[in-house]
Amino acid sequence: MPTQADRLMDVAIRRSFLIPSAEIYGSPAGFYDYGAVGSQIKRKIENLWRQEFLQKEGFHEIETSVIVPEAVLKASGHAENFADPLVTCESCRQKFRADHLIGENRQAKKDGVKTAGLPPAELSALIRKYGILCPQCKKPALSDVGWFNMMFRTNIGPIEGNTAYFRPETAQGIFMDFPRIIRNYGGKLPIGIGQVGKSARNEISPRQGLIRMREFTQMELEYFFNPRQQTHPKFAKVAHRKVRFVEGAVPPREITLVEALSAGLVPNEIMAYFLWKQWEFYRMVGIPPDKMYFRKMPPEETPHYSKGNVDLEVVTSYGSIETVGTAYRTDYDLSQHMKHSKADLSVFDEETRQKVVPHVVEPSMGVDRLFWCVLEHTFREKSAGKDWEWFDFPPCIAPYHAWVFPLMKKDGLDEKAQAVEEQLREAGLSVCYQESGSIGRRYARADEIGVPYCITIDYETMEKNDVTVRFRNDGRQIRVKISELAEKIAQFAKEGRVTLN
Ligand code: GAP
């Protein structure tokens, strides 16, 4: 029996949102391509992030190498610590993540066993205690647990030993480029530097589609600040806004950001401000507020570099999924790189006339997990009004602004429709011309990939130079002059309008 997630993945593949990578060679687990429709949505999500987290904040975007020399990742701690617990079946030689096997065991679940942060010896003991069998061959043949480093290793050039890795996070490139960027912008703190790009982790058991992949896209922001100034100039504006927060096993509760701060759920105003930005961003892309919440990470789950982590989790058919991790990385990375490279990464603070090693708050968002959450929360079943499944994407991330149709492929309607399409493209809108099938079928196809507006050129157009614009969610239509069309469509999209009224 296919699960809800299987069903949605099937829809996503059929409608050109996603394509399993290297499909004709059997699709290795953990890799997905974005199809012609999916890549437009993904790019719009990334560009909206650029707008909200960089452009509106006056921050800088960079693009750093994905292949990173070993020295960088030794200094950051990844070469030593970026590992997952691995167990091998000594009978069938299959390999599994030890913590996942324990987490999935019914009795261990009942006993409330937590595996985060446990050393291999304790994980091995739990496997024995619960008599966990190999999930593949069902034999009691699981080995002792060991560590498996998750980085993809390679060699720079032909000389063996010149080791490098595919970056496991985009953040380290930002730390590498930090000294040049801050110098270019007057050496003043605070400064925000972000990037959108691929990271790779050689996950032991990639699963749940886009949730645990081996290659994925991150949108990361590093906000560098003077540790003596843990305030944010815009925090006052959002201090009394409400978000949902969970700590420990209790259900999420509504809380203002200032309350979260005084309850110690968030380490400083800076992080609280960026949590609010995330909350708003998630709402903009279509995640309902009652399906998401922040979670303060318990110390045993907090990464080695962080003095406080808060995750943004979304409820999905796979369960609750961490989709953003925000960490107070302190001066951990810059200090480590200073120690290992001997470069001076400190900044001279004009006010105190002292050198400081900046601290960092890092909101790190995974695009693919968010993409999946958007699909889950915007997918609509057939209903009385629509005899097809469709997507209720907010126009700001819909794959096209509009589809353009001639009512008939004759009497000059098709040429006129192509001219309208061209005009809209020239005005910077993403549109697609469709002439095959009945009008009803074309509306259905547009709805199926979440296009918010359909524009039809009919016989009246030839007389009055106006067209019909159909709104996706209620199917109602208005007539708009061709001379005003581009401006109107852009305006509807900006307002997020998906119904006539
Ligand atoms: N620089 C910090 C960092 O990378 P992380 O919590 O490991 O932190 C941040 O990753 C985000 O990247 C996650 O919240 C998630 O959205 C995404 N991510 C991490 N591993 C992933 C994977 N294997 N597949 C898909 N997305 C992943």
Side-chain angles (χ1 to χ4, degrees), residues 430-445:
S430 55
V431 292
C432 184
Y433 173 80
Q434 295 279 329
E435 60 177 24
S436 62
S438 69
I439 276 285
R441 187 65 210 118
R442 281 179 266 170
Y443 285 153
R445 286 209 314 267

Side-chain angles (χ1 to χ4, degrees), residues 85-196:
L86 177 75
V87 71
T88 306
C89 172
E90 279 160 356
S91 175
C92 70
R93 306 310 302 164
Q94 283 282 326
K95 293 178 188 297
F96 307 95
R97 252 186 84 164
D99 53 339
H100 287 175
L101 293 191
I102 298 164
E104 285 156 9
N105 180 272
R106 203 176 297 157
Q107 190 56 42
K109 253 193 218 162
K110 243 189 186 170
D111 295 350
V113 171
K114 294 264 178 291
T115 52
L118 290 187
E122 287 182 39
L123 293 171
S124 302
L126 285 170
I127 288 179
R128 310 276 170 267
K129 176 176 171 187
Y130 290 104
I132 296 174
L133 306 177
C134 167
Q136 191 72 23
C137 70
K138 313 286 181 226
K139 290 192 181 142
L142 294 177
S143 69
D144 279 342
V145 177
W147 288 122
F148 173 72
N149 191 294
M150 288 200 291
M151 291 193 294
F152 283 95
R153 195 185 162 106
T154 187
N155 203 60
I156 300 180
I159 302 156
E160 275 303 320
N162 206 358
T163 306
Y165 298 92
F166 192 135
R167 64 184 179 196
E169 58 172 8
T170 69
Q172 292 307 318
I174 300 179
F175 295 122
M176 294 298 97
D177 292 357
F178 166 74
R180 278 194 183 275
I181 292 164
I182 185 141
R183 241 180 282 139
N184 291 345
Y185 287 93
K188 279 188 70 178
L189 292 172
I191 186 169
I193 307 174
Q195 78 169 315
V196 179

Side-chain angles (χ1 to χ4, degrees), residues 30 78 82 150 168-172 175 199-201 203 206-207 209-220 222 282 297 303 305 309 311-312 321-327 329 362-370:
H78 288 88
F82 203 64
M150 288 200 291
E169 58 172 8
T170 69
Q172 292 307 318
F175 295 122
S199 294
R201 300 181 186 176
E203 298 282 349
R207 53 191 193 163
L210 303 190
I211 304 303
R212 193 166 296 283
M213 300 166 82
R214 289 185 163 131
E215 191 186 308
F216 51 95
T217 305
Q218 291 185 308
M219 306 187 283
E220 297 201 294
E222 310 299 319
Y282 267 46
M297 257 197 183
Y305 51 71
N309 256 62
D311 286 347
L312 178 52
I321 301 292
E322 172 225 315
T323 60
V324 192
T326 305
R329 288 182 89 127
E362 174 202 65
S364 171
M365 200 178 282
V367 185
D368 313 87
R369 285 189 190 175
L370 175 55

Side-chain angles (χ1 to χ4, degrees), residues 333-391:
D333 300 88
L334 292 182
S335 293
Q336 283 292 106
H337 289 305
M338 280 172 75
K339 201 162 97 195
H340 285 250
S341 69
K342 310 286 180 246
D344 182 6
L345 304 178
S346 63
V347 172
F348 185 73
D349 181 41
E350 292 286 347
E351 236 172 73
T352 55
R353 314 290 303 158
Q354 278 178 344
K355 273 183 155 190
V356 290
V357 181
H359 276 207
V360 168
V361 163
E362 174 202 65
S364 171
M365 200 178 282
V367 185
D368 313 87
R369 285 189 190 175
L370 175 55
F371 182 95
W372 181 259
C373 294
V374 169
L375 291 193
E376 284 222 358
H377 289 292
T378 55
F379 182 67
R380 302 287 177 263
E381 300 285 353
K382 289 179 189 179
S383 61
K386 284 189 204 285
D387 192 22
W388 47 84
E389 294 155 348
W390 59 288
F391 283 93

